[in-house]
């Protein structure tokens, strides 16, 4: 009935998001195929690789306003989306904006004030959306990077609706190898499945 892609439509090989032509072309191809296949049933959340992400090795790249503009204008991605399905409300947020205090170091100094303005506007959209959810409705939240979740918790309209959030769907981990590595680096024990 509905198809939701939860961010990261390209490899972001230059680490500056879709302001890089190759990353933009890759994301465009991906999104075009999804839109062609699913039409109006398709929704897309912006991931961190659309905006730019500092590389783990070497510290190159970071978030770029040019990527933000290109993601919205050329790729047709929205900063916030909402789909009402009877008693379910599906909400899509931009995790990099919500968690900007963590990622601000990855922005260019002369772009930081604009990133802060974009974050403030995005949080206002989120507050308004959560405040408008009726008591009999359930929420499915789509948030690419779980780093944003503690920042959402700080927002009173979000906290007030926590019992109504049935699921939070995240992306960001890419593969089981990345998930395994993340757990290891976080000091979490490996998971073993015992069975017949």
């Amino acid at each position: 009935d509905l198809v939701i892609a939860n961010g990261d439509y390209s490899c972001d090989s230059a680490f500056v998001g879709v302001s890089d032509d190759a990353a933009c072309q890759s994301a465009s191809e991906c999104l075009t195929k999804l839109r062609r296949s699913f039409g109006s049933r398709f929704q897309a959340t912006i991931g961190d690789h659309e905006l730019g992400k500092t590389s783990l090795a070497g510290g190159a790249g970071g978030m770029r306003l040019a990527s933000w503009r290109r993601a919205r204008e050329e790729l047709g991605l929205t900063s916030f989306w909402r789909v009402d399905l009877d008693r379910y409300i599906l909400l899509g947020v931009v995790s990099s904006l919500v968690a900007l205090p963590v990622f601000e170091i990855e922005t260019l100094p002369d772009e930081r004030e604009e990133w802060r303005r974009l974050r403030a506007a995005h949080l206002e959209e989120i507050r308004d959306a959560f405040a408008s959810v009726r008591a009999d409705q359930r929420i499915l939240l789509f948030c690419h990077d779980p780093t944003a979740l503690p920042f959402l918790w700080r927002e009173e309209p979000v906290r007030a609706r926590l019992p109504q959030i049935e699921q939070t769907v995240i992306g960001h981990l890419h593969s089981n190898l990345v998930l395994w590595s993340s757990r290891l680096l976080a000091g979490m024990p490996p998971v073993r499945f015992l069975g017949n």
Side-chain angles (χ1 to χ4, degrees):
D1 295 328
L2 196 64
V3 174
I4 300 182
N6 210 12
D8 288 355
Y9 309 108
S10 79
C11 294
D12 188 21
S13 53
F15 306 107
V16 292
V18 295
S19 63
D20 173 62
D21 289 337
C24 190
Q25 181 180 351
S26 173
S28 178
E29 288 177 24
C30 177
L31 289 164
T32 297
K33 288 177 182 178
L34 288 165
R35 288 173 175 138
R36 189 178 305 128
S37 295
F38 303 108
S40 63
R41 296 177 296 139
F42 177 68
Q43 288 290 336
T45 303
I46 295 176
D48 55 346
H49 287 289
E50 278 72 65
L51 301 180
K53 180 135 185 87
T54 301
S55 66
L56 292 175
M63 291 172 61
R64 299 294 184 263
L65 283 174
S67 291
W68 171 260
R69 287 189 287 274
R70 209 167 187 188
R72 296 181 40 85
E73 294 166 12
E74 291 182 39
L75 299 178
L77 296 171
T78 58
S79 61
F80 175 82
W81 55 263
R82 174 182 175 147
V83 175
D84 292 57
L85 295 174
D86 194 27
R87 63 182 286 263
Y88 281 92
I89 307 297
L90 285 66
L91 302 174
V93 302
V94 180
S95 57
S96 296
L97 283 182
V98 174
L100 184 64
V102 172
F103 300 118
E104 193 171 88
I105 193 72
E106 297 186 20
T107 64
L108 298 173
D110 62 334
E111 293 185 352
R112 286 192 182 135
E113 200 51 47
E114 179 62 12
W115 281 116
R116 291 175 188 145
R117 190 195 66 71
L118 290 167
R119 179 181 191 263
H122 189 47
L123 287 174
E124 193 60 36
E125 290 176 306
I126 294 167
R127 286 184 206 109
D128 290 347
F130 273 86
S132 72
V133 174
R134 297 188 321 260
D136 64 327
Q137 293 177 310
R138 306 290 292 167
I139 299 166
L140 301 180
L141 176 64
F142 293 82
C143 177
H144 176 76
D145 182 347
T147 305
L149 298 178
F151 293 96
L152 287 172
W153 164 256
R154 294 176 186 170
E155 300 298 325
E156 176 54 37
V158 175
R159 267 198 323 278
R161 299 289 185 211
L162 278 182
Q164 292 174 254
I165 299 176
E166 188 166 300
Q167 288 191 27
T168 299
V169 181
I170 62 166
H172 195 59
L173 297 176
H174 301 279
S175 71
N176 285 333
L177 175 61
V178 175
L179 176 60
W180 177 83
S181 301
S182 299
R183 291 175 59 88
L184 183 69
L185 291 171
M188 298 174 71
V191 177
R192 286 192 294 220
F193 298 96
L194 303 174
N196 305 355

